Amino acid sequence: MKKPIVTGAALEEIIRQYPTPFHIYDEAGIRAAARRLHAAFGWNKGFKEYFAVKATPNPAILQILKEEGCGLDCSSLTELMLAERGGFAGHDIMFSSNATPAEEFVYAKRLGAIINLDDYTHIDFLEQAAGIPKTICCRYNPGGDFAIHNKIMDSPKDAKYGFTKQQLRDGFLRLKEKGAERFGLHAFLASNTLGGQYYPVLAKQLFALACWLQQETGIAVSFINLSGGIGIPYRPEEEPNDIAAIGAGVQQAFDEVLVPAGLGDVAIFTELGRYLLGPYGQLVATAVHEKHIYKDYIGLDACAANLMRPAMYGAYHHITVAGKENAPATHKYDVTGSLCENNDKFAVDRMLPEVEIGDRIVIHDTGAHGAAMGYNYNGRLRSAELLLREDGSVRLIRRAETPEDYFATLDVLG
């Protein structure tokens, strides 16, 4: 059963100070997840988690992860700037981008970040923009469909990312000619997977690729970034991934493939934004309207501008009516926001306890790709972000936007 991070009188006390809607994060849950991850991959002496900043780009969250030994994966200039201002530098940053402007490569190289190239043509582009660094990484796209036990998980052939296998071979040789000395591989082939099989299967493919590249080029890969893809149970009936078992599965592939090839010193990297943050954030809103026409609707003071995933992907997010956690789910609702778009729905035909105006609605698993995907369509303003600290206190870590923020970029009009 999914439970709200804060309930009862404590939730109402928070709302008196910070009106809904807001996202709230659980510091204790985040730290525990980071420690489970590091324990699962502790067998690899070079292991490093590079948290995907795009998942939750908040300095307070990034500081927690820094204290837990994580680095950052950045994909834009502003994410690099956020990393720098948070005290991250050098190889604690990976820069993984595509269609990258020259100034972003320059900035990443100045920080000493590990640059993860997305395409063979980027080699010359990077050299002209910033020069080739001693350490470099290349992203792999195997093409075709990525399947586990004959179940297609995703279709890399349709993705815009990465080098082909032959381009990797040629790219490694070209980068070595241009002065690169330490090489890495990266791949992201499926998203939000459950069952624990994705990482070991991906790892085995990348480990075999590293062996092939060494045979073809004489270059020994120094690190392999398995990226993201480990999912979370958005639905209450789903089982969470066992990160310890996943780590053990990767270790088995490591021992079977890399160690016999003399590559037992390869470092393993991950980028688990969703795993580390998703379950430990919630969007709290208030029911402000009800409507009864051909269906029954509950309208919230939040909308897709606060949480885009349901509108964009049809994604499921569990909903709790605060104070009615144990009440029977006897009413069927579409739970909506106020955008002038019919897909602005947090849930469709969702069975819930009877919702009354003023009820607090908790939308679960918004800690990753929740507030981060906010936008201002219809002039809607992004909500505040709060942190429930380990001592039980609540800290404001991003204030809610104001109309003045919305109009700030129009100052050119006088």
Side-chain angles (χ1 to χ4, degrees):
M1 179 178 176
K2 291 182 179 289
K3 298 180 180 180
I5 292 173
V6 183
T7 59
L11 179 60
E12 291 304 316
E13 184 66 27
I14 293 170
I15 292 171
R16 274 192 284 274
Q17 187 171 5
Y18 306 111
T20 60
F22 55 76
H23 288 268
I24 186 167
Y25 306 98
D26 176 13
E27 179 181 1
I30 296 166
R31 290 188 184 276
R35 292 169 190 175
R36 288 194 301 271
L37 174 61
H38 281 97
F41 285 88
W43 54 267
N44 183 263
K45 64 182 180 181
F47 175 73
K48 186 78 173 179
E49 158 61 21
Y50 287 90
F51 176 77
V53 175
K54 62 179 176 288
T56 319
N58 189 293
I61 299 298
L62 302 185
Q63 181 60 38
I64 291 170
L65 294 170
K66 183 180 181 184
E67 292 170 3
E68 295 297 333
C70 300
L72 299 182
D73 177 76
C74 300
S75 57
S76 69
L77 178 63
T78 47
E79 288 185 356
L80 287 168
M81 295 172 71
L82 188 60
E84 183 181 27
R85 294 181 187 185
F88 294 85
H91 287 182
D92 283 338
I93 304 171
M94 281 202 72
F95 181 56
S96 302
S97 66
N98 61 96
T100 308
E103 61 268 25
E104 299 191 4
F105 278 137
V106 171
Y107 203 99
K109 189 162 183 288
R110 180 179 67 77
L111 292 181
I114 299 173
I115 294 174
N116 183 25
L117 293 178
D118 183 62
D119 186 69
Y120 182 81
T121 64
H122 292 180
I123 297 171
D124 288 345
F125 188 86
L126 173 62
E127 183 180 38
Q128 294 167 12
I132 301 297
K134 299 294 185 184
T135 296
I136 196 72
C137 186
C138 295
R139 184 168 183 165
Y140 174 52
N141 183 331
D145 294 317
F146 181 78
I148 296 177
H149 299 318
N150 297 319
K151 179 182 178 182
I152 294 176
M153 309 295 290
D154 215 325
S155 298
K157 66 179 183 293
D158 296 324
K160 67 177 181 176
Y161 309 108
F163 291 61
T164 68
K165 185 176 181 180
Q166 191 62 42
Q167 286 174 340
L168 276 178
R169 175 194 176 280
D170 297 344
F172 270 36
L173 289 171
R174 189 165 177 79
L175 286 162
K176 184 177 181 180
E177 290 174 1
K178 295 179 179 295
E181 298 175 355
R182 186 168 179 259
F183 292 78
L185 287 173
H186 174 282
F188 177 81
L189 303 185
S191 179
N192 194 38
T193 63
L194 293 175
Q197 299 168 340
Y198 168 63
Y199 247 28
V201 171
L202 171 65
K204 199 162 190 176
Q205 288 192 15
L206 291 180
F207 296 165
L209 178 63
C211 294
W212 179 81
L213 284 167
Q214 184 183 40
Q215 293 168 0
E216 290 288 311
T217 67
I219 296 170
V221 169
S222 297
F223 57 90
I224 294 176
N225 189 330
L226 302 177
S227 189
I230 293 179
I232 62 173
Y234 284 100
R235 296 176 182 270
E237 67 272 18
E238 293 173 334
E239 290 294 325
N241 278 312
D242 182 344
I243 196 66
I246 290 171
V250 174
Q251 182 180 15
Q252 181 178 346
F254 188 96
D255 291 342
E256 289 177 359
V257 180
L258 290 181
V259 172
L263 293 172
D265 290 332
V266 170
I268 302 300
F269 299 163
T270 58
E271 296 170 6
L272 296 177
R274 194 189 310 264
Y275 172 80
L276 287 175
L277 258 295
Y280 310 109
Q282 296 172 356
L283 174 61
V284 180
T286 300
V288 294
H289 286 286
E290 59 181 324
K291 183 172 183 173
H292 307 282
I293 46 173
Y294 308 106
K295 303 178 76 171
D296 293 335
Y297 297 87
I298 294 296
L300 306 184
D301 58 357
C303 65
N306 308 107
L307 179 64
M308 186 193 293
R309 295 188 74 254
M312 187 173 185
Y313 305 119
Y316 181 95
H317 282 264
H318 197 64
I319 292 176
T320 296
V321 183
K324 300 179 180 180
E325 291 87 351
N326 298 316
T330 55
H331 289 63
K332 183 188 292 186
Y333 298 108
D334 281 13
V335 182
T336 78
S338 57
L339 294 186
C340 295
E341 295 291 341
N342 196 45
N343 68 349
D344 182 22
K345 297 179 179 180
F346 296 108
V348 175
D349 294 334
R350 185 72 59 87
M351 297 303 297
L352 295 170
E354 183 176 10
V355 178
E356 300 171 275
I357 301 304
D359 278 349
R360 310 304 186 182
I361 306 300
V362 178
I363 303 176
H364 294 261
D365 301 311
T366 70
H369 312 289
M373 296 177 73
Y375 57 104
N376 290 126
Y377 179 63
N378 259 185
R380 294 298 172 187
L381 303 175
R382 283 168 282 208
S383 49
E385 293 177 90
L386 311 179
L387 179 67
L388 176 65
R389 293 189 283 200
E390 289 183 293
D391 64 5
S393 63
V394 173
R395 174 189 172 196
L396 179 68
I397 58 174
R398 189 189 301 273
R399 64 169 175 79
E401 286 184 334
T402 66
E404 288 73 23
D405 297 320
Y406 180 79
F407 291 115
T409 55
L410 299 175
D411 56 2
V412 296
L413 299 178

